[in-house]
Structures are given as structure tokens and as C-alpha cells.
Amino acid sequence: MVFYAFYFALYAQIAIGITFMPLWLKDQGLSEATIGTCLAAAATIAVVVNPLVGTVADRTHRNKAILIGLIVCATLATLALTAISGAVLVALLFLTYRSFISPLVPLAESILIANLTAYRLDFGQVRAWGSASVVATTLLCGFLVDWFDTRAILWLLLAILLAQIVTSKGLPARARDAQPLITTAAILSALSNRGFLMLLGSAAISQACHGVFYAYSTFRWLEAGHSTSTIGIFWSIGVGVEIVAFVFGGRITARLTSRKIIVIACIAGILRWGIFGLSAELAPTLVVQILQGATLGLTQIGVASYIRQNIAPAFLSSATGVYWASTGLITALAILISARLYPISSSYVFLFTAMLCAVGTVVAALMMEKSNRGNDGGASLP
């Protein structure tokens, strides 16, 4: 149960960051465009921090200790955010906080994937607990903001980070079997695999579109006249469908290759962001949120399946770190472009992400062609 408990706490923190933290930043005096730039900067920081932390974790085999240390630092940064004011100071401290939390997901995934067999776990089942946490947290946070004000966001975040510290202590350090020390050259060689690079060009694009969604969807819904509690319900619907995808993740990967799963996810992204770009009213929003099961759930299932089948255990932290860093880089660029599009029309932001998913679909389809020729996009890394 330790993985389930930790993932519940981990994704509760993520839920606040993607749904209501932009509102808190706006309350501190930042404009929508500035918030977009700030989130893009945070994603850029992840490009540097995630591979660095992943490499250190692979070399030292101290994944758990690094994970806990980062959570403690994030807790202190959040506590400091409750005590400061001024847009510039808030932005700088927020970026500091994001530098601590950005490696948490790749680190946690490297520990989980390395222990799936030993603990008889299914990735989708564990990840579903994280999605369930997003449902509960967004609903709770939405009502708290309606009842009180945006200050409730940080205090709830502090409570969640403390829960992460407690639950993370029960995690295994890494895989049960010790791995040999590796070199930077070996990591670079392993990550130069063509199939892995194409994974970055498709699944990472799909995930990056969610980064834009997290940055601007709340503002678009408020613009359409929805309350924060209603927005919390919208998020819960999307994550509820996402949970279904994760629960059936094992059956999906048993029937489809990771490439085919990602193709489906990218096509769903074209539909989802295209619809949201055209309308943020109730009926279209319901369709948009139902598609989250494919755009987010299937993407993560496909990535986890690929990494488990193609990445050697000693390189899990590096591979997941590079994947999330690439996602962060694409996210940063997409949010920066969206920050210029939003003042013109919020609809342009999501029509733009629909175009990005079209690019991801093409790359994923090329991965399918390699898979159909029998080598599944490349040999296992190393």
C-alpha cells in the first residue's frame, strides 16, 4: 500500500499546481501573460533539473533520499510563499518551489517501475490512485477557494507536502538488486536510441499540451462564466475518466504496442484541444474532459510501457528524467507562444495545441511503422 499512499499524496500536490496555483499567482498581482511566462520559465528549469537529478540518482542509487530531500525543500519554499508579497518576489520564490518539485514525478516513476515485479504491482493501478487524488483535491480546493479565498490554496498545499514526507519514508530505495555505477557517456549512449527520441517527439508533445491546458484552462472557464467550484467539478470529470484508463492500463498494453497507444492519445489531443478552442461552454467542456482519459491516461500508459520494455533498470532515472525534461522544454515553448496568443483570444491557445498534437501524431505514426517492421522502434537500451 505504500506506493498507493505516496502517489495519492504526490498527485494531490500536482492537482493544486495545475488547477488553482495560477489563480493564486493572479491574486498576487501577476497578469495572465506574466503567469504564462512564469510557468514557461518553470518548465524550462525542469529541462535542466530533471536530467541532472536523474543522473545523480542513477549514479548514487539514493533515489528515495533525494526524493525526500526535494519534498522537504519544497515544503520550506511553500511556507515562505505564505509570508511574502510583491509580484517579483512571488515569481522568484514560485520558480524556486517549482525547481524542487519538478523532479518528483520522474524520481517516483523510476522507483515504481524498478519495483513493479518485486511488489507485484501494475503501473496503471498505482497511477489510478494518483488520479483519484486529483479528483478529491480539485473538488476540495475549489470549494475552499469559494468559501474562503486563494490563501487556502497554499495552506492545503503545505498539508499535502507534509503527507508526502510521511508516506515517502515507506518507499523502497530503488530496485531490490543493486545496480553498477554508470558513466555519463553510457547514459548519453543509451538515450541516443532513435526509438526513444521519437518517443520524446510524440508523447512529450502530447504531455506538453496539457501544460498549456493547466496554465490557461481555468482562466478560459472563468471567462465563460463558470465558478471555481464548477471548475473543480470539470477537473474531476476529466480525471475520473483518466482513472478508468489507468485501471485498464494492463489490458491496454497487453493488446496494443506503446506506439499505437501514443498514436491514439495524440489523435484524441487533436479533437480535445480543437473542441476546447472552439467553445468553453458546458456541453463542449464535458466532451473535452472525457477525452482526458485518452490524452493523458493513454499517453502515460504508453510511455511507461515503452520505458519498462526498452530501458535497462540502471538507466530508469536518467530516461524518465530526460523524458520529463523534454516535456518541460516543449511545454515552456508552447506556453510562451500561448502567452502571446491569449491576449488576442483564449481560443487561439487551444487551437494551437491541437496543431501540436497533429505533429505528435505524425511522429508517433512513424514509430508505429518501425514497430510494424518488427523491431518496435529500436533495441532495448542497453
Side-chain angles (χ1 to χ4, degrees), residues 280-293:
E281 298 301 319
L282 178 60
T285 289
L286 293 177
V287 176
V288 165
Q289 292 305 86
I290 288 172
L291 285 170
Q292 182 160 322

Side-chain angles (χ1 to χ4, degrees), residues 155-166:
W155 292 111
L156 180 58
L157 180 58
L158 277 171
I160 289 167
L161 288 168
L162 291 174
Q164 284 184 18
I165 294 173
V166 173

Side-chain angles (χ1 to χ4, degrees), residues 23-270:
L23 279 181
W24 182 83
L25 290 171
K26 187 176 181 181
D27 239 24
Q28 307 311 304
L30 281 70
S31 68
E32 286 90 344
T34 303
I35 291 170
T37 302
C38 195
L39 293 175
T44 304
I45 289 172
V47 174
V48 178
V49 172
N50 286 8
L52 178 62
V53 171
T55 300
V56 172
D58 278 336
R59 289 187 169 186
T60 63
H61 311 304
R62 296 180 62 84
N63 300 47
K64 177 180 172 181
I66 295 171
L67 182 73
I68 294 175
L70 289 169
I71 297 171
V72 170
C73 291
T75 304
L76 295 175
T78 304
L79 190 60
L81 281 171
T82 66
I84 66 168
S85 60
V88 174
L89 282 177
V90 166
L92 290 175
L93 193 51
F94 172 73
L95 291 176
T96 301
Y97 160 77
R98 285 293 298 263
S99 70
F100 292 135
I101 67 165
S102 64
L104 295 185
V105 169
L107 267 179
E109 287 191 358
S110 69
I111 296 173
L112 173 60
I113 293 172
N115 287 278
L116 288 175
T117 302
Y119 284 78
R120 298 181 180 178
L121 295 170
D122 177 85
F123 176 85
Q125 298 285 339
V126 177
R127 181 60 180 78
W129 276 64
S131 297
S133 175
V134 173
V135 173
T137 306
T138 50
L139 284 174
L140 175 60
C141 197
F143 284 112
L144 286 176
V145 171
D146 277 348
W147 292 338
F148 302 103
D149 56 35
T150 55
R151 288 178 298 177
I153 296 171
L154 287 190
W155 292 111
L156 180 58
L157 180 58
L158 277 171
I160 289 167
L161 288 168
L162 291 174
Q164 284 184 18
I165 294 173
V166 173
T167 56
S168 64
K169 291 183 178 180
L171 294 173
R174 175 67 181 271
R176 289 181 177 269
D177 299 327
Q179 300 296 337
L181 187 66
I182 57 176
T183 65
T184 301
I187 295 173
L188 294 175
S189 175
L191 299 181
S192 65
N193 177 274
R194 196 165 20 176
F196 185 76
L197 292 177
M198 296 183 77
L199 180 79
L200 301 181
S202 55
I205 286 177
S206 177
Q207 290 293 283
C209 291
H210 289 86
V212 176
F213 183 64
Y214 302 151
Y216 290 106
S217 59
T218 297
F219 297 134
R220 181 155 171 78
W221 278 321
L222 289 173
E223 184 183 289
H226 303 294
S227 67
T228 55
S229 56
T230 302
I231 291 170
I233 293 172
F234 289 159
W235 280 103
S236 300
I237 292 171
V239 180
V241 180
E242 174 188 316
I243 290 173
V244 175
F246 285 124
V247 167
F248 289 95
R251 297 184 182 182
I252 293 170
T253 54
R255 290 167 173 76
L256 297 173
T257 66
S258 55
R259 275 67 169 174
K260 290 179 180 178
I261 294 170
I262 294 169
V263 166
I264 295 171
C266 290
I267 292 173
I270 298 173

Side-chain angles (χ1 to χ4, degrees), residues 4-27:
Y4 297 107
F6 177 73
Y7 260 69
F8 194 91
L10 175 64
Y11 277 85
Q13 164 238 305
I14 293 172
I16 292 180
I18 64 179
T19 55
F20 292 107
M21 196 57 115
L23 279 181
W24 182 83
L25 290 171
K26 187 176 181 181
D27 239 24

